[in-house]
Amino acid sequence: MGKELMTIGELAKRMGVTVRTLQYYDKEGILKPSAFSAGGRRLYAAKDVVRLHQILSFKYLGFSLEEIKNHILPLYTPEQMVSLLIQQQKAIEEQIENLQEAAQSIEAFRSEVENIKSVDFKKYAEIIELLKMGNDAYWVWKCFDDTLTDHIKDRFGDDPALAEKTYQAYLDLLDEAYLFVQRGEPPESACSMVLAEKWWNMIMDFTGGDLTLLPKLESFNDDKTGWDKELAQKQQEIDDFMNKMLDCYFKKQGMDIPEMEVES
């Protein structure tokens, strides 16, 4: 009998696992020893080696011990195995997708840390939170100063969808203004006045009517270092047109607005 059975240490060495792992498998009821010695030592037979090999094989495929114990080892048909393997494949593919997204977020965050040029854990946490949300506008948050980020928290903290709606409005109006510039639309035309009204309303939606934020937005627009490159290029090309357009709009509306650059 001693020649046919292995001690826990012998089995562990043969299969490349630790004794502690085999003890845990015994405790969880996934791999019980076939016998015990007179001194109470666990002894394993050839069938236990086969079962352990099965367990380790399915662990390699990403199955948990609970799944192996309760769903795989009790299987009776190939069809049942195929069904479980399909489920596992989908789960692994989802994990891969999540890891790829995490890798992309790390790359984006690394780039932003380089651009910030200083250690700012408050800003880091805010950027990471936006990345977790899959928010394409996180670069805006990174470029805003504390006054503007605090304003966003107060105005949009309870309604992230409203912040996203405002950002999307900016993107739409930016594209519209860009087309105006490309086709040579006069800044004082009727079409331009309609655009100016929409642009100004967007600014009012963002600021909540707080005009003291305008100088901050002006500074944000002046320095496009950390902007999304494509948006920075578009905004740069429309800045002069938008300044003239808004100036015409304010005069027609009889509005006394301090001179400023285009805000977004």
Side-chain angles (χ1 to χ4, degrees):
M1 186 173 183
K3 294 180 180 180
E4 297 175 354
L5 299 176
M6 290 179 288
T7 64
I8 192 170
E10 291 171 336
L11 178 60
K13 183 177 180 180
R14 175 172 175 175
M15 297 299 294
V17 298
T18 65
V19 169
R20 180 170 294 182
T21 294
L22 295 178
Q23 291 172 337
Y24 179 75
Y25 287 177
D26 181 9
K27 177 183 176 182
E28 295 299 313
I30 192 170
L31 180 65
K32 290 289 187 181
S34 291
F36 289 89
S37 68
R41 299 174 65 188
R42 296 176 177 86
L43 298 174
Y44 295 88
K47 66 180 181 65
D48 300 319
V49 177
V50 173
R51 186 176 180 88
L52 179 56
H53 187 272
Q54 294 168 345
I55 294 169
L56 297 178
S57 297
F58 285 109
K59 277 195 65 183
Y60 170 78
L61 294 179
F63 288 100
S64 68
L65 288 178
E66 181 179 356
E67 290 171 326
I68 296 171
K69 175 184 176 181
N70 297 323
H71 301 295
I72 294 179
L73 294 180
L75 290 179
Y76 293 102
T77 69
E79 289 76 17
Q80 292 175 317
M81 176 59 71
V82 168
S83 177
L84 275 177
L85 290 175
I86 290 174
Q87 294 177 33
Q88 183 66 2
Q89 182 178 359
K90 290 180 179 178
I92 291 176
E93 288 172 350
E94 183 176 343
Q95 291 174 20
I96 291 173
E97 183 177 348
N98 291 337
L99 288 172
Q100 288 175 336
E101 291 179 358
Q104 292 171 358
S105 295
I106 289 173
E107 174 62 21
F109 181 58
R110 180 191 63 77
S111 176
E112 300 308 332
V113 170
E114 291 174 346
N115 289 331
I116 291 174
K117 304 293 185 182
S118 62
V119 176
D120 187 341
F121 286 102
K122 176 176 177 289
K123 186 78 72 175
Y124 292 168
E126 291 166 348
I127 293 173
I128 291 172
E129 188 62 29
L130 288 170
L131 288 171
K132 285 168 57 181
M133 294 169 59
N135 194 324
D136 294 332
Y138 74 90
W139 65 269
V140 178
W141 187 270
K142 183 264 302 183
C143 293
F144 276 177
D145 65 8
D146 289 341
T147 300
L148 291 173
T149 55
D150 288 342
H151 169 73
I152 290 176
K153 291 176 185 176
D154 292 338
R155 180 152 177 76
F156 302 109
D158 296 331
D159 191 1
L162 181 58
E164 293 181 12
K165 181 180 179 181
T166 302
Y167 179 68
Q168 186 58 51
Y170 163 69
L171 296 179
D172 293 341
L173 293 177
L174 175 63
D175 287 340
E176 187 174 349
Y178 185 75
L179 289 176
F180 278 26
V181 171
Q182 295 300 304
R183 74 187 189 198
E185 185 74 32
E188 68 278 5
S189 72
C191 291
S192 294
M193 290 303 94
V194 173
L195 175 60
E197 183 177 13
K198 290 191 289 187
W199 191 282
W200 184 243
N201 287 339
M202 173 195 65
I203 293 173
M204 290 298 96
D205 285 343
F206 175 80
T207 63
D210 184 358
L211 298 185
T212 64
L213 294 174
L214 295 184
K216 295 292 185 180
L217 290 171
E218 179 181 355
S219 297
F220 165 69
N221 186 67
D222 286 343
D223 183 7
K224 298 180 175 66
T225 304
W227 280 45
D228 174 90
K229 291 182 180 179
E230 181 180 352
L231 297 183
Q233 181 180 354
K234 279 188 176 181
Q235 184 68 53
Q236 187 69 45
E237 292 191 32
I238 71 165
D239 275 348
D240 184 62
F241 169 79
M242 293 298 293
N243 289 331
K244 294 176 181 177
M245 182 188 73
L246 287 173
D247 186 57
C248 292
Y249 174 74
F250 296 146
K251 289 179 180 178
K252 288 191 175 186
Q253 296 297 317
M255 299 168 61
D256 184 16
I257 301 296
E259 185 177 349
M260 60 182 181
E261 299 296 329
V262 179
E263 298 86 14
S264 55

